[in-house]
Amino acid sequence: MRRSTTVFAAAAVLAAVLSVPAGAVVAPAATAAPAGTAACEALAVSDFGDPEATAGAGDAGTCHALTLTPGRYAVSVADDQFFTWAITDAADATVCTGYIPNRGCVIPAAGDYTLRLTYNGWGGSSAYRVAVVDLGSAGGCAPSRAIGWDLPARTGVLTSPLQLDCLPFDARTGDVVFSAAQPDTYLFDFYHWIVDATGADACDPGYPGDGCRLAGAAPYRQIVTPRGWPAGDVPQVPYRTQAARLFDPAGCPVVTPGAYGGAPGGAVAGVRCRAITVPAAGDYRFRMVTERNSGAYATVYDLAGNRVCGGEICTFPAAGTYVAVRDPLITGVVIDVDVRYAATFLPKAPTSGCVTVADRGAYRDRLDAVGAWDCLRLTAPAGARIAAAWPDDAPTAALAEMQVVDAAGAWVCDTGQLVNESCLLTGVAPFALLTSARSGTAGGDYGLTVTRVDPAAGCTTLPAGGSGVTVATGPDGYLACLTVPAGHADSEQITWTRVAGSGDARVRTFSPEGFRRCRTVSFATYTVTCTLPAGVNTLLLQADALPAEYTVSRRPVS
């Protein structure tokens, strides 16, 4: 029942906080104990780590006496979604108020202070547990350790919803660091941030780049604290943290330019980053992929911390070393050194390594290396419209991803247009069809056929009426092309029937300008009604890669 009030309580807390002008004093609500009406329970300052041995407890109306020295203190409350708190001095003046998350209360002078909590829930229990931790202290902190991309993630365990863990790391003022933390328990989250020697936030708020530029003074520490607690009997929550200098290539696997039709540039390896060796200024293709060829978002930086690119096309301003980092803006995901990726690093314009393919010539190849790309040189000129097809029974792993580029490497169209619609060749010839393994697959053998459709030349004429024509298909010729001459009806029924062999086929039709008009799914025999624009239309019959014969006929719709 108590959990059902979580959303409403959190909304009430947030509304209360947002309605108070900056710097205003927040008075305790009616459920907080007024000053001087009762003796407050003494509450000791806890070290970092599990504070249950020194934590306080109470209910609505309880207050806690604190003896504090100047510094910055964090207040942890369970259940944090239902309580706000206030610390007052000996004169009952409010020093600070807080809600979760909080980054600490600054105590200006040594002395006696009072902590009061206000319950903001509706119904349920108003009992709580509370702990106060000096964010500037070293008590309970883990040993300091080096940071770097090639170091395994740091591990820890949370055993209390009040816990604040302190994880010092070796860094200097002005370093730009990447910091991430991730729980290993499903549907659990926590807060984490970086503090300096005083316990203040260490990330320079004026830094315009990615990552955290360290301000203040060392030693610097990652702070980890729960955001609520998992439901049920969960005694502990393991977690991992990661930290590295964002633009430092040390420990990053090195990537050098690869080749179309050959090695992709960066072999499969662990570590979240890559050190890219750029031989000359210019445009390149760079992307990171998993061992199953799924795209892994990466950002590329120069060694001064300037972002170079975050997409597939990277324009490098000069030769030299650059750093690519996987998901550098996602600080809630730890990618440990044993998570493996490959890197594709190729010239943007495919000037070498390409194989010329003839119109409607069945092409076969194999993509063995993770992240590899092949290049097929097209013969169609600028302004032409083309379409592509796979064998209709090809497994998913054999359906290569496709991308058409012009002579400068500029994108023209991709798989969806080629196999579902048609692709207008814009830009400067010659054009190339780039292929890569389907996302989520290990690559391997693939096949495809490319043809012009505006209209296609050299196709078999499909006469009106009669028994139509018979076309043979098979592993080396699964795409049959037929021409519907001018003078046809506006709407015609097209029928195909397999008369020999095995397998199914589907049909696409294209207007004289090469726009796709009709499209079907696969059948051994089927009749479809298609609207055919005036002029010469093209019909493609895409069959399984099995020996077969199909009769294809058409007749006007009366």
Side-chain angles (χ1 to χ4, degrees):
M1 176 65 72
R2 185 177 178 187
R3 287 289 174 188
S4 67
T5 66
T6 298
V7 174
F8 303 103
V13 173
L14 181 60
V17 171
L18 294 178
S19 65
V20 177
V25 174
V26 179
T31 54
T37 61
C40 297
E41 298 179 359
L43 178 62
V45 175
S46 299
D47 286 339
F48 286 104
D50 186 334
E52 292 292 349
T54 52
D59 207 325
T62 305
C63 60
H64 303 272
L66 302 170
T67 300
L68 304 176
T69 57
R72 184 180 296 268
Y73 294 81
V75 178
S76 294
V77 183
D79 186 337
D80 58 35
Q81 298 180 83
F82 295 96
F83 291 90
T84 53
W85 53 265
I87 293 179
T88 56
D89 62 15
D92 204 32
T94 299
V95 178
C96 56
T97 61
Y99 61 97
I100 301 298
N102 78 86
R103 299 294 177 88
C105 171
V106 176
I107 298 300
D112 295 329
Y113 294 84
T114 302
L115 170 66
R116 298 181 179 88
L117 285 88
T118 302
Y119 178 62
N120 301 288
W122 287 270
S125 172
S126 60
Y128 64 83
R129 301 195 316 282
V130 63
V132 176
V133 177
D134 182 355
L135 288 171
S137 74
C141 288
S144 186
R145 62 169 279 181
I147 59 174
W149 292 117
D150 57 342
L151 297 178
R154 194 172 196 164
T155 59
V157 177
L158 297 173
T159 54
S160 166
L162 301 176
Q163 187 167 340
L164 274 82
D165 278 359
C166 165
L167 309 172
F169 59 90
D170 299 337
R172 301 177 300 273
T173 301
D175 283 350
V176 177
V177 299
F178 167 83
S179 175
Q182 177 180 346
D184 290 336
T185 298
Y186 183 61
L187 292 180
F188 177 75
D189 197 7
F190 50 48
Y191 303 108
H192 92 277
W193 68 98
I194 299 175
V195 299
D196 66 7
T198 69
D201 281 14
C203 297
D204 180 356
Y207 178 59
D210 295 343
C212 166
R213 185 169 66 187
L214 297 176
Y220 297 99
R221 296 162 289 163
Q222 292 174 304
I223 303 296
V224 174
T225 189
R227 184 176 184 174
W229 196 255
D233 184 16
V234 181
Q236 61 183 29
V237 177
Y239 67 87
R240 293 170 293 146
T241 67
Q242 187 173 30
R245 291 175 179 84
L246 184 55
F247 319 127
D248 185 357
C252 300
V254 175
V255 175
T256 56
Y260 292 98
V268 174
V271 185
R272 191 169 186 154
C273 63
R274 295 294 182 268
I276 307 172
T277 302
V278 177
D283 295 333
Y284 294 81
R285 298 180 189 278
F286 180 85
R287 68 172 181 173
M288 294 173 71
V289 296
T290 69
E291 292 184 277
R292 300 286 294 176
N293 285 292
S294 297
Y297 176 78
T299 301
V300 178
Y301 303 94
D302 64 20
L303 300 189
N306 300 302
R307 184 184 289 202
V308 176
C309 64
E312 182 177 296
I313 303 301
C314 282
T315 299
F316 292 98
T321 299
Y322 295 78
V323 179
V325 179
R326 171 85 166 89
D327 286 328
L329 304 182
I330 301 180
T331 59
V333 176
V334 171
I335 302 176
D336 215 339
V337 293
D338 58 349
V339 179
R340 291 159 58 83
Y341 299 90
T344 300
F345 184 37
L346 302 166
K348 178 185 176 184
T351 56
S352 61
C354 298
V355 177
T356 300
V357 293
D359 203 43
R360 291 193 302 282
Y363 179 80
R364 292 180 181 176
D365 209 332
R366 181 174 179 83
L367 291 163
D368 283 318
V370 177
W373 286 40
D374 282 347
C375 173
L376 313 182
R377 185 71 66 197
L378 304 178
T379 57
R385 278 192 176 270
I386 62 172
W390 305 296
D392 204 43
D393 58 346
T396 299
L399 305 180
E401 299 283 3
M402 296 180 281
Q403 180 181 154
V404 175
V405 299
D406 71 2
W411 181 90
V412 177
C413 64
D414 56 25
T415 306
Q417 293 157 284
L418 288 163
V419 301
N420 295 320
E421 304 294 336
S422 65
C423 170
L424 175 64
L425 298 182
T426 58
V428 180
F431 297 90
L433 176 67
L434 308 181
T435 62
S436 57
R438 176 62 60 102
S439 176
T441 72
D445 294 322
Y446 72 94
L448 58 86
T449 299
V450 180
T451 181
R452 289 189 65 172
V453 291
D454 57 346
C459 299
T460 301
T461 299
L462 180 60
S467 59
V469 298
T470 299
V471 295
T473 61
D476 296 321
Y478 45 83
L479 187 68
C481 179
L482 297 98
T483 295
V484 179
H488 52 75
D490 292 340
S491 182
E492 301 221 357
Q493 285 188 334
I494 297 171
T495 300
W496 70 96
T497 301
R498 191 187 72 236
V499 295
S502 57
D504 298 324
R506 68 180 67 209
V507 158
R508 283 182 283 171
T509 68
F510 298 85
S511 71
E513 298 79 23
F515 294 101
R516 198 266 302 161
R517 306 293 296 186
C518 241
R519 184 178 65 180
T520 73
V521 294
S522 298
F523 296 98
T525 181
Y526 192 70
T527 297
V528 61
T529 299
C530 291
T531 299
L532 302 179
V536 177
N537 283 246
T538 298
L539 184 152
L540 299 180
L541 182 125
Q542 179 181 341
D544 294 346
L546 299 169
E549 291 183 356
Y550 293 85
T551 60
V552 186
S553 61
R554 66 180 177 94
R555 66 180 182 84
V557 175
S558 57

